[in-house]
């Protein structure tokens, strides 16, 4: 079935360092790849997304890259800050295009 | 401009009781999606509804779970005869279009079955 694998499950960095989270997906029909940030007790918040006709997208300190051939996509956070600490989820659209399949999440801890 | 509103935020039910979770989409959004999040897990799709129609319920358990989105009022996710395994966070998302681009999630309902 459709599946999204996300690595690493936990990531600890020093303030100012970069953080990279990687995901792979199984369904070649997936064409939309969002990233969500979830803070404790809250719902997921969309931070950046990319569609299959684009290889890279950047928004200030956050960037996402997509390799459709390898079915990989990655989140890059530069100049990390303590407020970046949260759980990050990647997702891929289903073949039907009506829902998202989520990875299991990465807990990012940024220490000052 | 209120976002997606879910209530209650926390719900405790005894085994065998019914749980009703409510979701009001963002203004102007007519598409609602329900997801379930188990501890230490990602979100799992349950059901996609438009007003008065279930579009995709491929993620819904076959028994005890149902969902509706009436012409008036919020979307309701109903769980009958709850069991401990139903304990999870249930999130609702809404969108304006017919695909998941630009989902906005609510803050969720945390269901605890005792």
């Amino acid at each position: 079935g459709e599946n999204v694998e996300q690595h690493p499950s936990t990531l600890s960095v020093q303030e100012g360092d970069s953080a990279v989270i990687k995901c792979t997906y199984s369904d070649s029909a997936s064409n939309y790849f969002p990233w969500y940030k979830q803070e404790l007790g809250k719902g997921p918040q969309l931070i950046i997304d990319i569609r299959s006709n684009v290889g890279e997208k950047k928004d200030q300190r956050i960037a996402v890259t997509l390799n459709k051939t390898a079915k990989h996509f990655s989140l890059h956070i530069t100049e990390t800050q303590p407020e970046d600490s949260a759980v990050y989820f990647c997702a891929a659209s289903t073949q039907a295009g009506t829902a998202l399949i989520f990875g299991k999440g990465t807990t990012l801890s940024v220490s000052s | 401009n209120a976002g997606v509103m879910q209530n209650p935020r926390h719900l405790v039910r005894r085994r065998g009781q019914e749980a009703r979770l409510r979701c009001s989409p963002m203004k102007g959004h007519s598409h609602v999606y329900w997801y379930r999040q188990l501890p230490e897990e990602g979100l799992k799709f349950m059901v996609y509804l438009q007003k008065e129609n279930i579009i995709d319920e491929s993620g819904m358990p076959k028994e005890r779970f149902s969902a509706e989105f009436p012409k008036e009022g919020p979307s309701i996710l109903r769980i009958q005869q709850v069991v401990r395994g139903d304990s999870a966070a249930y999130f609702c998302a809404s969108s304006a279009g017919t695909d998941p681009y630009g989902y906005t999630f609510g803050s969720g309902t945390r269901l605890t079955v005792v």
Side-chain angles (χ1 to χ4, degrees):
Chain A
E2 299 161 316
N3 188 44
V4 173
E5 297 283 340
Q6 183 172 347
H7 300 280
S9 57
T10 60
L11 180 58
S12 296
V13 300
Q14 291 286 322
E15 183 177 3
D17 288 350
S18 294
V20 180
I21 303 171
K22 298 182 179 182
C23 289
T24 59
Y25 60 98
S26 60
D27 191 348
S28 55
S30 295
N31 60 8
Y32 174 64
F33 307 92
W35 286 87
Y36 288 87
K37 176 183 181 182
Q38 186 176 28
E39 296 175 325
L40 195 62
K42 297 184 179 180
Q45 179 185 12
L46 179 68
I47 56 171
I48 196 167
D49 56 11
I50 192 167
R51 302 189 185 190
S52 59
N53 58 348
V54 176
E56 185 173 355
K57 183 176 177 181
K58 189 173 182 180
D59 182 4
Q60 299 183 345
R61 297 186 296 108
I62 294 173
V64 58
T65 59
L66 172 65
N67 182 330
K68 282 223 74 178
T69 303
K71 298 182 191 170
H72 290 171
F73 58 114
S74 300
L75 177 72
H76 304 252
I77 306 174
T78 58
E79 300 172 20
T80 54
Q81 301 166 3
E83 50 266 40
D84 293 330
S85 297
V87 180
Y88 291 81
F89 292 97
C90 63
S93 57
T94 61
Q95 187 174 44
T98 56
L100 296 172
I101 303 169
F102 282 80
K104 290 192 174 183
T106 296
T107 301
L108 174 64
S109 300
V110 181
S111 53
S112 54
Chain B
N1 182 20
V4 178
M5 303 301 292
Q6 288 189 250
N7 63 82
R9 290 295 307 275
H10 299 276
L11 182 62
V12 179
R13 285 287 178 265
R14 296 185 184 279
R15 281 178 293 170
Q17 291 184 320
E18 178 180 287
R20 281 183 177 244
L21 289 62
R22 289 177 290 278
C23 169
S24 296
M26 282 185 68
K27 188 176 182 181
H29 286 188
S30 58
H31 303 259
V32 166
Y33 310 80
W34 285 93
Y35 284 77
R36 176 165 63 176
Q37 184 177 34
L38 295 169
E40 310 299 323
E41 295 281 328
L43 283 77
K44 302 287 187 188
F45 169 73
M46 299 181 75
V47 63
Y48 161 40
L49 310 104
Q50 295 178 24
K51 286 281 187 181
E52 300 184 281
N53 282 303
I54 297 174
I55 307 301
D56 180 356
E57 56 181 348
S58 57
M60 286 280 270
K62 294 288 184 270
E63 298 177 349
R64 302 187 298 107
F65 285 72
S66 62
E68 62 176 5
F69 189 15
K71 187 175 180 180
E72 300 291 337
S75 175
I76 306 289
L77 179 67
R78 182 183 178 204
I79 311 172
Q80 295 178 290
Q81 300 175 338
V82 296
V83 301
R84 289 226 171 102
D86 296 334
S87 295
Y90 292 82
F91 290 97
C92 166
S94 72
S95 70
T98 58
D99 52 49
Y101 300 167
Y103 267 6
T104 299
F105 279 94
S107 295
T109 294
R110 279 143 188 88
L111 171 66
T112 302
V113 179
V114 297

